[in-house]
Amino acid sequence: MNRISIIPNTDKDKNFETTKKVAEILRSFGKEVCIENTLKITGGDFIRQSRKELVGNDMIVSLGGDGTILDIADEAAKNDTPILGINIGNLGFLSQAECVSADIFEDIFCGKYTVTESMMLHASLMEGGRLLKEFTALNDAVIKGEAARMLNIKVDIDGINTNNYPADGVIISTATGSTAYSLSAGGAIVHPELDAIMITPICPHTLKARCMIIPAVKKVRISLLPPYRSSGVLTVDGKHSVKIEEGLYVEVEKSEHKAKFINLNRRSFYDIVREKIADRSI
């Protein structure tokens, strides 16, 4: 690894102090440090690049929380670029480090790390078999009603109707996303090494709708049934949103791309669950 991208959360690192500290460490190892050309950072021997160029470098250092990683995960995955998440946000479930230190990068450049791959989802907005829009998700694709109104939701798996129910919405998530919105909605915690798809209803107005875990080879279709109380909204990883009008539906399946993460092997998944969720208090 020679050319390293730093992508900071500008709300969490407003004065770019953490960005500069990481850059200084990287340069001490003889690495080229790249940042987005729109960032207003004074000083430092940075290589300025577009976002498209940044996600194609040898490694990405994400400075922020989970949202910062989700913001770049799909682009990085399409370039097979591994991400090192350093948490300077709130939860930081996807991050591998909680603070910046030289020993982190020393381990990486000495080969004391592994690269883990996380399954992603391909979400398609469809109309009568015609593709309208498509997205890639690391965590989830969420269908909810507009203005907090209930939807009548139809769930099909591989063309077979499995459930119909009124609810605020439904979450289709990966194992990685099982500890995000799906967990808050009552879904199961699934080990991120498992290739699976979770279907988690949001506040269903029925006792029969529960979280369902299915093999990743299955295709899920979510459509809306009359009476149409509201239009739906598809949101992918909390950043892409598109309206679902009458006659449109969403298909979700395993993506051909996988997100790659630098794993320092200092904490297990179970350690992270305990630290971030089980023992967490406000």
Side-chain angles (χ1 to χ4, degrees):
M1 295 183 181
N2 183 54
R3 179 165 282 201
I4 314 296
S5 301
I6 302 178
I7 298 183
N9 182 315
T10 53
D11 290 328
K12 301 292 192 301
D13 190 23
K14 292 183 179 181
N15 297 318
F16 300 108
E17 294 302 323
T18 306
T19 299
K20 292 176 182 178
K21 183 176 180 179
V22 172
E24 183 179 347
I25 293 171
L26 290 172
R27 290 193 201 97
S28 72
F29 288 99
K31 307 302 178 181
E32 296 178 343
V33 183
C34 307
I35 60 168
E36 194 164 0
N37 50 22
T38 57
L39 296 181
K40 297 178 181 179
I41 302 180
T42 58
D45 185 20
F46 294 105
I47 297 173
R48 305 269 178 170
Q49 293 183 323
S50 66
R51 174 60 71 95
K52 184 177 180 179
E53 292 172 316
L54 280 179
V55 296
N57 288 329
D58 298 326
M59 182 178 77
I60 297 171
V61 179
S62 170
L63 302 177
D66 289 348
T68 310
I69 292 176
L70 291 173
D71 189 48
I72 59 171
D74 55 343
E75 299 171 273
K78 291 170 185 176
N79 286 275
D80 287 326
T81 306
I83 300 170
L84 171 67
I86 298 179
N87 181 36
I88 58 173
N90 185 20
L91 187 56
F93 200 95
L94 299 174
S95 300
Q96 273 293 308
E98 296 296 324
C99 62
V100 176
S101 63
D103 65 306
I104 292 172
F105 296 99
E106 183 175 6
D107 283 354
I108 292 172
F109 300 136
C110 288
K112 297 178 182 178
Y113 71 96
T114 57
V115 176
T116 58
E117 296 185 341
S118 295
M119 178 191 137
M120 304 183 80
L121 296 174
H122 181 261
S124 305
L125 181 65
M126 309 288 293
E127 181 181 30
R130 182 170 63 94
L131 176 66
L132 301 180
K133 291 180 181 294
E134 56 185 341
F135 308 94
T136 303
L138 173 59
N139 266 4
D140 49 40
V142 179
I143 295 93
K144 293 184 72 174
E146 285 192 306
R149 302 201 65 175
M150 189 178 289
L151 298 173
N152 289 317
I153 296 170
K154 181 174 185 282
V155 180
D156 296 335
I157 300 174
D158 281 353
I160 301 172
N161 181 227
T162 60
N163 217 337
N164 300 335
Y165 47 79
D168 285 358
V170 63
I171 304 163
I172 315 298
S173 70
T174 61
T176 300
S178 73
T179 52
Y181 193 5
S182 177
L183 178 65
S184 299
I189 294 177
V190 182
H191 196 287
E193 292 179 9
L194 189 66
D195 274 8
I197 295 174
M198 271 63 64
I199 306 170
T200 307
I202 305 170
C203 299
H205 199 69
T206 174
L207 296 177
K208 70 175 183 176
R210 293 292 181 266
C211 174
M212 183 182 296
I213 304 173
I214 62 174
V217 295
K218 303 295 184 180
K219 180 185 286 188
V220 180
R221 176 187 288 194
I222 304 296
S223 50
L224 305 183
L225 296 173
Y228 299 103
R229 300 181 177 90
S230 166
S231 296
V233 177
L234 167 66
T235 304
V236 180
D237 273 352
K239 59 178 181 175
H240 302 296
S241 292
V242 60
K243 185 178 287 190
I244 307 172
E245 302 282 9
E246 183 179 342
L248 304 186
Y249 57 93
V250 177
E251 289 185 341
V252 183
E253 59 191 322
K254 180 180 179 179
S255 171
E256 63 179 332
H257 302 291
K258 287 194 172 186
K260 295 185 176 181
F261 293 97
I262 299 290
N263 189 341
L264 300 172
N265 303 311
R266 298 179 179 181
R267 296 183 299 172
S268 71
F269 170 69
Y270 312 107
D271 292 329
I272 295 172
V273 169
R274 186 180 63 254
E275 294 167 10
K276 300 292 185 178
I277 298 177
D279 295 341
R280 189 168 186 245
S281 59
I282 296 175

